[in-house]
Amino acid sequence: AYNALYNFCTVTLSARYFDIIKDRLYIYAPSSIERRSAQTALHQIADALCRLIAPILVFTSDEAWENLPKQTVASVHLSEFPKVSDDDTTTLSKNWERIFAIRDEVLKALETARTEKLIGSSLDAKVILATDKDTTRFLLDYYDQLRYIFIASQVEVHESESLSIKIEKADGKKCERCWNYSVRVGEFVGYPTVCERCNDALAEIV
């Protein structure tokens, strides 16, 4: 149980989930669905983790529990373990493992591009993926999220015989707020140095 929790925290959460959702937590407006959904997921994860680690990290789990909002039980040690969902997540889990396998290859290509001084950070990059027909169709279902999953400014997906990854400099200009590149930076009168996402967020925040 300890190893499973450790691997979940270090790999699934830290190296994957937290890395991907930082953008939406920092960039989107407070009332946006993207940010609120991430906050809801984080609260549920924190709640469950406090309960699961309570027998191992007795004092730490209780201190974390006390700082979680909207708790109705005084101590984590008076709460029950999380209930296992009856939902069948087999297909969903397989899909994400498939995406993460591709992400691992993309991250290697981005690191090579950094080493070769083609890019500074991954947000300087456009990722061009060439994959087989089945994988192309699969990735297109997640297309709007791929640039956030890969932590790049732009992603293109093309059909090919096998997987190949090309890294180029991203198109457009760098947004001074989120550091993503966009061809639409400079279009907005009120905020000429930001991208379309940040323009929408600032319109709500300011």
Side-chain angles (χ1 to χ4, degrees), residues 127-182:
V127 177
I128 303 174
L129 278 170
T131 65
D132 61 77
K133 186 176 182 179
D134 176 66
T135 305
T136 299
R137 288 180 176 177
F138 169 74
L139 288 175
L140 289 177
D141 288 338
Y142 296 86
Y143 184 73
D144 289 341
Q145 296 301 317
L146 288 180
R147 70 186 184 105
Y148 307 119
I149 294 169
F150 299 153
I151 315 179
S153 284
Q154 293 140 17
V155 175
E156 293 181 4
V157 180
H158 303 282
E159 189 176 322
S160 181
E161 294 298 321
S162 58
L163 176 66
S164 67
I165 303 167
K166 183 180 180 182
I167 306 298
E168 294 183 354
K169 287 283 291 183
D171 299 327
K173 297 178 181 178
K174 186 176 183 178
C175 171
E176 69 173 16
R177 182 170 180 266
C178 69
W179 294 7
N180 281 262
Y181 281 75
S182 171

Side-chain angles (χ1 to χ4, degrees), residues 3 37 90 162:
N3 285 332
S37 65
T90 304
S162 58

